[in-house]
Amino acid sequence: MIEDKNPSRTPISELGEFGLIDHLTKNFKATQKSTIKSIGDDAAVLDFKSKQVVISTDILVEHVHFDLSYMPLKHLGYKAMIANLSDVYAMNASATQVTIAIAISNRFPLEALEELYAGIETASKIYGVDVVGGDTTSSTTGLIISITAVGEVNKNDVVYRSGAKPNDLLVVTGDLGAAYMGLQILEREKEVFKVNPNNQPDLEPYTYIVERQLKPEARKDIIKLLRDLKVKPTSMIDISDGLSSEIIHLCKQSNVGAVLYENKIPLDPQVISTCEEFNIDSTTIALNGGEDYELLMTIAQEDFPKIKGNPNLTVIGYMTEKEQGMHLITRGDALIPLIAKGWNALKDQ
Ligand code: ADP
Ligand code: MG
């Protein structure tokens, strides 16, 4: 539905591997002080002085994690960056560098890779991270993209999943479920398009949720906000697989339980209306839909005055002793055990 009708197609073979890498990375300029040597040698060289270094890798596989029939390559490049940067921010660290590994089949012309790298470049500029290396190889099936993100953090500032204590407040940023509902809209429009290619989708009523699916953001702003508010979360995780499974991760690693209030879960009105249209429960979507890239954290009770009323941070529950388990308190005051149904890349394989 978003296919370019008259694209120019330059075969990758015209450039060769080294020509391709040069071409794709020629605009990248290192801006981080810690980048000593970027693309061009056998390895990048970084210098973090007295900081601790965090590293995180993700891999995205065509047909498993993304569908190019509605995911423009530019957005894919951007989103792949976001997914990785989000993991760095979830450690309360600043993201500084990435490396990018791609495997491509010959069905991708140079122009397609230019699009992918345009998205990568945009994200690198917006988030201020240097692209310092990568690897390029061929694939016989689809596109594979793997990004490794590097970040830095003062030793005393790093936040793990394991620090939550009973009575800590459970706090989430932004709103939940939008990326999943955006995906439902795109999947639906893809089916409509298959039946009638002349039928142009009207995505207007779904702008927010479709954007949350195609062009998500990572919460770099929250790391700064927490610093400004002088709040160090006791534990933190990014929400890539759904609220429920992330709460369970925090509880298991911190050896605590949790209570989550259904009526506190932040939902955008477009998520609520689209859930009504699809006849699905919005709480289920917030609990189990993935790819929101918000941050879930626990905060000591004494820090509550510092975050109170902040529109970016919503208190959705609190941590308990482990023995009390992990529960959702519904709008009707029923106590329901939390289970991880979260989005799982391996579930249908
Ligand atoms: P090597 O043979 O040592 O693996 P390459 O020829 O693969 O080296 O890479 C040359 C340089 O280009 C290295 O600095 C590498 O990190 C970088 N590079 C390779 N592929 C990519 C890519 N897809 N994106 C960004 N940098 C890349
Ligand atoms: Mg290589």
Side-chain angles (χ1 to χ4, degrees):
M1 74 184 119
I2 43 166
E3 253 168 62
D4 190 342
K5 294 276 176 286
N6 195 10
S8 53
R9 295 178 61 90
T10 312
I12 299 289
S13 52
E14 272 184 24
L15 289 103
E17 186 191 331
F18 302 124
L20 174 67
I21 296 169
D22 282 350
H23 183 81
L24 293 177
T25 62
K26 63 177 186 283
N27 291 331
F28 291 136
K29 294 203 174 42
T31 58
Q32 290 284 346
K33 268 198 243 130
S34 50
T35 306
I36 308 297
K37 177 73 193 176
S38 185
I39 295 170
D41 214 308
D42 294 311
V45 179
L46 310 177
D47 181 356
F48 290 98
K49 310 231 183 296
S50 58
K51 303 255 181 163
Q52 290 198 335
V53 178
V54 303
I55 299 193
S56 176
T57 298
D58 267 311
I59 184 160
L60 296 176
V61 177
E62 189 178 356
H63 308 304
V64 177
H65 301 97
F66 58 90
D67 181 336
L68 291 176
S69 60
Y70 51 69
M71 184 70 164
L73 278 158
K74 200 182 220 165
H75 289 247
L76 176 65
Y78 192 88
K79 186 169 175 176
M81 290 282 279
I82 294 307
N84 278 266
L85 299 179
S86 178
D87 283 321
V88 171
Y89 299 133
M91 302 303 289
N92 204 28
S94 315
T96 47
Q97 289 88 9
V98 293
T99 61
I100 296 169
I102 51 174
I104 40 182
S105 66
N106 57 11
R107 107 180 129 87
F108 293 96
L110 175 65
E111 288 72 15
L113 296 180
E114 284 174 346
E115 285 291 300
L116 181 73
Y117 267 72
I120 289 170
E121 190 183 347
T122 303
S124 83
K125 286 206 172 114
I126 290 176
Y127 288 86
V129 298
D130 297 344
V131 179
V132 296
D135 198 23
T136 309
T137 189
S138 53
S139 150
T140 49
T141 48
L143 175 66
I144 298 172
I145 171 163
S146 175
I147 300 190
T148 296
V150 178
E152 60 179 30
V153 59
N154 287 325
K155 197 175 173 187
N156 295 330
D157 292 337
V158 61
V159 174
Y160 296 102
R161 294 178 178 183
S162 55
K165 298 275 177 299
N167 299 321
D168 283 353
L169 300 171
L170 185 61
V171 175
V172 74
T173 64
D175 55 71
L176 300 173
Y180 182 85
M181 289 317 293
L183 181 63
Q184 301 316 300
I185 294 296
L186 290 167
E187 296 270 7
R188 183 178 73 182
E189 296 310 322
K190 181 183 169 184
E191 292 310 311
V192 172
F193 181 80
K194 268 191 205 158
V195 177
N196 180 3
N198 294 320
N199 200 332
Q200 282 302 313
D202 177 17
L203 296 179
E204 181 60 33
Y206 311 107
T207 338
Y208 176 68
I209 58 174
V210 167
E211 179 154 327
R212 292 276 286 175
Q213 169 59 222
L214 292 183
K215 192 175 174 290
E217 302 294 347
R219 302 308 307 257
K220 178 184 181 179
D221 59 324
I222 298 295
I223 304 312
K224 179 174 186 308
L225 175 72
L226 292 171
R227 224 154 270 174
D228 292 347
L229 294 174
K230 298 194 167 45
V231 173
K232 183 187 171 190
T234 53
S235 70
M236 187 150 63
I237 187 169
D238 77 318
I239 304 187
S240 47
D241 292 344
L243 180 62
S244 196
S245 93
E246 316 302 6
I247 292 176
I248 293 170
H249 281 306
L250 290 184
C251 285
K252 294 227 159 116
Q253 298 216 19
S254 298
N255 255 311
V256 293
V259 167
L260 166 68
Y261 292 102
E262 180 179 23
N263 64 0
K264 305 276 191 210
I265 299 174
L267 298 171
D268 186 86
Q270 235 172 59
V271 170
I272 297 171
S273 59
T274 313
C275 281
E276 278 167 9
E277 191 185 330
F278 278 73
N279 205 12
I280 40 184
D281 175 44
S282 54
T283 300
T284 308
I285 298 311
L287 288 175
N288 304 309
E291 302 188 298
D292 287 317
Y293 302 114
E294 295 295 342
L295 292 171
L296 176 72
M297 65 193 92
T298 54
I299 287 180
Q301 290 269 355
E302 68 210 43
D303 281 336
F304 178 63
K306 299 184 197 164
I307 64 156
K308 195 178 162 195
N310 193 300
N312 291 294
L313 303 169
T314 310
V315 179
I316 54 173
Y318 62 93
M319 310 317 269
T320 64
E321 297 294 341
K322 186 183 179 187
E323 293 64 40
Q324 286 166 259
M326 300 170 281
H327 292 99
L328 172 77
I329 297 185
T330 67
R331 288 192 186 87
D333 266 344
L335 202 64
I336 296 180
L338 273 183
I339 42 168
K341 274 193 268 179
W343 185 86
N344 179 348
L346 302 175
K347 70 181 174 209
D348 301 320
Q349 308 298 304

